[in-house]
Amino acid sequence: MIQRDLYLHQLVSYMWDGQIKVITGIRRCGKSVLLFELFRDYLLSQGTSAENIITIELDKRKDVKYRSPIALSSMVEAKIQNRAQQYYLFIDEIQLSVSVPDPDLPGEMVTIYDMLNELRGYKNLDVYVTGSNSRMLSSDIVTEFRGRSSQIHVYHTF
């Protein structure tokens, strides 16, 4: 495995900064490995319980239901009820999320940005997302979360 110490140190430096941590880059450049293996291993080595790391992979069949921002937010909120504990949320391939009708506001849609903004308000939750540049993430999230996100751009290493 290629060590990505520079990117790992960036993630560590952004921990608990109140921002959404956004990891972008081209497909197959190592975004998921950085988050789901290297950063996860770091957290575990620092004493974080595996149960306090919530992982969602939107490109996997088991997590397709969480492409809905409402379903994702509801699941996360149910898991982080113990306010005395710190939780980490890792969402992979966030560009696969979909907008859904808001059940409380007819005619309005709930987007991934709405959900991320809501989740960043929880003081016991630190949120990390990955996404390919190919669709929405690199420019849209910078625009939508200006001042509310920390971005790490991963470059392909040969």
Side-chain angles (χ1 to χ4, degrees), residues 15 53 62 75 82 140:
M15 289 173 59
I53 303 172
K62 68 178 181 61
M75 180 275 296
N82 184 345
D140 288 354

Side-chain angles (χ1 to χ4, degrees), residues 21-97:
K21 274 57 85 177
V22 181
I23 304 165
T24 61
I26 62 172
R27 291 187 53 75
R28 312 288 308 157
C29 70
K31 300 176 300 289
S32 300
V33 170
L34 172 63
L35 187 59
F36 285 78
E37 294 181 34
L38 299 175
F39 188 58
R40 183 176 192 280
D41 288 349
Y42 169 81
L43 292 174
L44 294 173
S45 75
Q46 299 300 304
T48 300
S49 170
E51 291 78 37
N52 289 33
I53 303 172
I54 304 164
T55 59
I56 303 295
E57 298 172 274
L58 295 179
D59 61 336
K60 303 289 191 235
R61 185 180 177 282
K62 68 178 181 61
D63 289 334
V64 165
K65 62 184 164 266
Y66 299 123
R67 289 181 182 179
S68 161
I70 294 174
L72 179 57
S73 184
S74 295
M75 180 275 296
V76 171
E77 289 169 349
K79 287 190 175 224
I80 65 168
Q81 290 299 308
N82 184 345
R83 301 290 188 239
Q85 293 187 28
Q86 291 184 320
Y87 296 88
Y88 297 85
L89 174 61
F90 297 172
I91 306 172
D92 196 26
E93 301 294 351
I94 200 158
Q95 75 277 1
L96 297 176
S97 65

Side-chain angles (χ1 to χ4, degrees), residues 25 29 117 151:
C29 70
N117 199 40
Q151 186 173 17

